[in-house]
Amino acid sequence: MNKSTMNYYSTHNPVHRVPFSEAVVNGLAPDGGLYMPEVIPSLPENFIASLSSISNEQIAFTIARPFIDENFPDRLLRSIIKDTINFEFPLVQLDDQTCSLELYHGPTLAFKDVGARFMALVLRQIANTIQQEITVLVATSGDTGSAVAHGFFQVEGIRVVILYPDGKVSALQEKQFATLGHNIHAVKVDGTFDDCQRLVKTAFLDAELRKQFFLSSANSINIARLLPQTFYYFFGWKQLQKKESVVFAVPSGNFGNLTAGIIAKKMGLPVKAFVAATNRNDVVPQYLHTGNFMPRPSVTTISNAMDVGNPSNFARMLALYEENWSLMTKDIYGYAFTDDETLQAIRQVYQSSSYTLDPHGAVAYLGLKKYQHEHPGTNGIIIETAHPSKFPDVVENALQQPLPLHPTLQGLQHQQVQSVTCSSSYDDFKNLLVVLK
Ligand SMILES: *Cc1c(COP(=O)(O)O)cnc(C)c1O
């Protein structure tokens, strides 16, 4: 494992290769492809066998080291990791064959905290190296904004501008990303989420603006958000009692989480299979059944962080399976579920295991049970991506009882939103970027 040699290629052009830092700053490759590590390093066999006696920080360091170049010396990488995973990743037993890996103990109560924090600290180092402030632009319809805001909060050398559509983000979500201040600027756009995305895209194409500011984007396709998501598959494994025939069920939207799981398996984690669980936005389960990938507009569901009609990480999944459908279907089983089934699963697991699932975790649970029905004797881990109290309406509707508000969310109620407003015109947005300090 030589730490200095890893480059990243574009899924649109395997010849285009760049070092880690460039892949992070670019986000998307200039040809529109996604960056992928040119090799998936394998871990020593004894690493897996001894996982339960290794600290999470050491596990994460061992996994991350070969992916990241020498601009990040060991000491720095260790400190980035320490700050990224400074919360718990408990594995909770639901029944004989099912555990829930809770990824929601970070600041915004969802797994996206891990990737956002890691990316923020990586960008801080890059800003430091180039001796220039980096402006991070991100459009959000909710959850991404809060993970990015908290991940980048008070990170030196970085200014974050979060665009969100006026009136289309819940009050609680808005408070999660628009109350922080300091280097986090929230911009409420008089328009739709698509307008927000257009403003960000136009800014990236604006040569004049880019002379003035060093721009980067924190969207979910960034390789620095993806890589640290491999860690928690190892954290889950480490806590398992039964380590035979292990299956991870992943509630999926853009399929970043699942892609990270596939990378973990390729590195040597002995996973039997993955369940790709979705709501009615079932483009990937359909692909797994038929071999045809047919993106389509998303529909709204109660597991709304997975309402994605054209999953951005699908190209990475294909790359990991050499564009080969039959290889992919040996590892990944796709299932999709309706909102009614999701509500029923929340109710049923509460009754049988006294455990409250969030709507996304509930979709994973349903997928796992369907898989286990076809494959008895397997040990399943569902990835619980968010704390149930982030979705009080859905969970209270399922359980027909009030849900206590998480203390983190309680504290937010008294915070003041500090966003500035902007029309959906690019010129207005550009003028705003110049004055935001
Ligand atoms: C983002 C998100 C997902 C989907 O994750 P992908 O990596 O995009 O598949 C699932 N659950 C929650 C709560 C999320 O915020």
Side-chain angles (χ1 to χ4, degrees):
M1 284 194 282
N2 186 328
K3 65 183 164 190
S4 62
T5 53
M6 177 79 79
N7 278 315
Y8 290 78
Y9 70 89
S10 160
T11 52
H12 283 186
N13 175 7
V15 182
H16 172 85
R17 290 191 183 204
V18 300
F20 175 70
S21 298
E22 197 175 328
V24 175
V25 167
N26 286 351
L28 205 63
D31 60 18
L34 302 184
Y35 286 114
M36 280 294 282
E38 58 189 352
V39 286
I40 305 295
S42 16
L43 295 161
E45 224 167 283
N46 59 2
F47 178 74
I48 301 295
S50 49
L51 265 189
S52 34
S53 60
I54 309 179
S55 71
N56 280 0
E57 284 174 22
Q58 182 59 31
I59 291 172
F61 176 79
T62 309
I63 297 163
R65 182 67 279 177
F67 286 107
I68 292 171
D69 60 49
E70 69 273 27
N71 292 320
F72 297 81
D74 287 3
R75 260 192 60 189
L76 174 66
L77 183 57
R78 281 185 194 279
S79 100
I80 289 176
I81 283 169
K82 188 162 185 272
D83 290 343
T84 300
I85 56 167
N86 61 355
F87 47 87
E88 300 294 308
F89 297 84
L91 188 71
V92 179
Q93 191 92 33
L94 302 189
D95 61 48
D96 244 16
Q97 279 148 6
T98 315
C99 297
S100 168
L101 179 60
E102 296 178 351
L103 303 182
Y104 56 64
H105 296 276
T108 75
L109 313 181
F111 80 91
K112 289 188 175 71
D113 284 329
V114 174
R117 185 72 179 160
F118 189 82
M119 180 182 171
L121 299 173
V122 163
L123 270 189
R124 176 186 65 188
Q125 173 63 9
I126 297 173
N128 188 26
T129 307
I130 61 176
Q131 288 290 302
Q132 202 181 337
E133 184 187 61
I134 297 179
T135 296
V136 171
L137 300 180
V138 61
T140 186
S141 53
D143 269 356
T144 298
S146 50
V148 168
H150 283 265
F152 284 78
F153 181 52
Q154 292 188 318
V155 171
E156 271 164 66
I158 314 279
R159 173 176 78 142
V160 177
V161 180
I162 299 173
L163 294 84
Y164 67 105
D166 188 6
K168 300 198 177 58
V169 167
S170 80
L172 199 61
Q173 278 180 325
E174 185 182 32
K175 291 209 166 184
Q176 283 201 297
F177 60 76
T179 56
L180 291 168
H182 291 272
N183 62 330
I184 310 297
H185 304 275
V187 176
K188 182 156 67 175
V189 174
D190 183 13
T192 62
F193 173 63
D194 290 340
D195 289 320
C196 298
Q197 273 191 312
R198 173 179 49 81
L199 293 175
V200 170
K201 278 188 186 149
T202 313
F204 276 100
L205 297 171
D206 182 342
E208 186 193 86
L209 186 77
R210 300 197 72 163
K211 270 191 216 137
Q212 209 175 343
F213 301 112
F214 194 101
L215 295 185
S216 187
S217 132
N219 67 27
S220 64
I221 51 91
N222 200 292
I223 193 74
R225 282 184 61 179
L226 182 72
L227 290 176
Q229 293 180 230
T230 52
F231 302 163
Y232 36 68
Y233 290 88
F234 293 85
F235 301 165
W237 180 273
K238 150 181 166 174
Q239 299 173 69
L240 268 176
Q241 301 293 329
K242 300 184 225 160
K243 292 178 160 61
E244 304 81 39
S245 299
V246 176
V247 177
F248 282 93
V250 189
S252 295
N254 273 316
F255 285 79
N257 246 342
L258 186 66
T259 300
I262 301 166
I263 293 174
K265 179 171 160 79
K266 292 219 157 197
M267 293 183 85
L269 190 69
V271 179
K272 179 180 166 67
F274 293 96
V275 171
T278 72
N279 55 36
R280 285 197 297 123
N281 297 284
D282 63 348
V283 170
V284 171
Q286 282 300 333
Y287 168 79
L288 291 164
H289 295 150
T290 64
N292 297 318
F293 184 66
M294 296 198 289
R296 55 172 200 264
S298 65
V299 296
T300 303
T301 75
I302 58 171
S303 47
N304 58 15
M306 312 197 299
D307 293 350
V308 179
N310 187 4
S312 51
N313 281 292
F314 184 69
R316 286 191 168 123
M317 292 170 66
L318 275 180
L320 287 164
Y321 289 102
E322 298 155 36
E323 322 280 321
N324 184 322
W325 174 80
S326 66
L327 276 184
M328 195 191 287
T329 54
K330 288 194 174 66
D331 279 357
I332 309 178
Y333 294 76
Y335 307 100
F337 301 93
T338 64
D339 283 355
D340 279 345
E341 291 171 306
T342 307
L343 289 169
Q344 221 175 326
I346 295 174
R347 209 172 300 134
Q348 189 227 307
V349 171
Y350 185 74
Q351 281 161 3
S352 61
S353 311
S354 309
Y355 186 80
T356 310
L357 290 167
D358 99 292
H360 307 81
V363 170
Y365 179 86
L366 287 163
L368 179 66
K369 289 300 145 186
K370 204 154 181 175
Y371 173 88
Q372 288 184 320
H373 186 71
E374 294 163 10
H375 303 83
T378 48
N379 292 305
I381 296 182
I382 61 161
I383 300 281
E384 235 311 5
T385 46
H387 193 282
S389 74
K390 290 192 88 169
F391 306 94
D393 299 349
V394 177
V395 178
E396 287 177 357
N397 175 20
L399 302 183
Q400 293 296 310
Q401 64 181 60
L403 190 70
L405 197 59
H406 190 282
T408 303
L409 301 177
Q410 241 165 35
L412 273 178
Q413 289 183 319
H414 313 287
Q415 306 280 326
Q416 281 302 320
V417 168
Q418 316 181 20
S419 51
V420 294
T421 51
C422 182
S423 81
S424 60
S425 115
Y426 179 67
D427 285 339
D428 283 352
F429 176 59
K430 188 171 173 177
N431 291 334
L432 187 64
L433 270 185
V434 178
V435 298
L436 282 180
K437 274 284 173 286

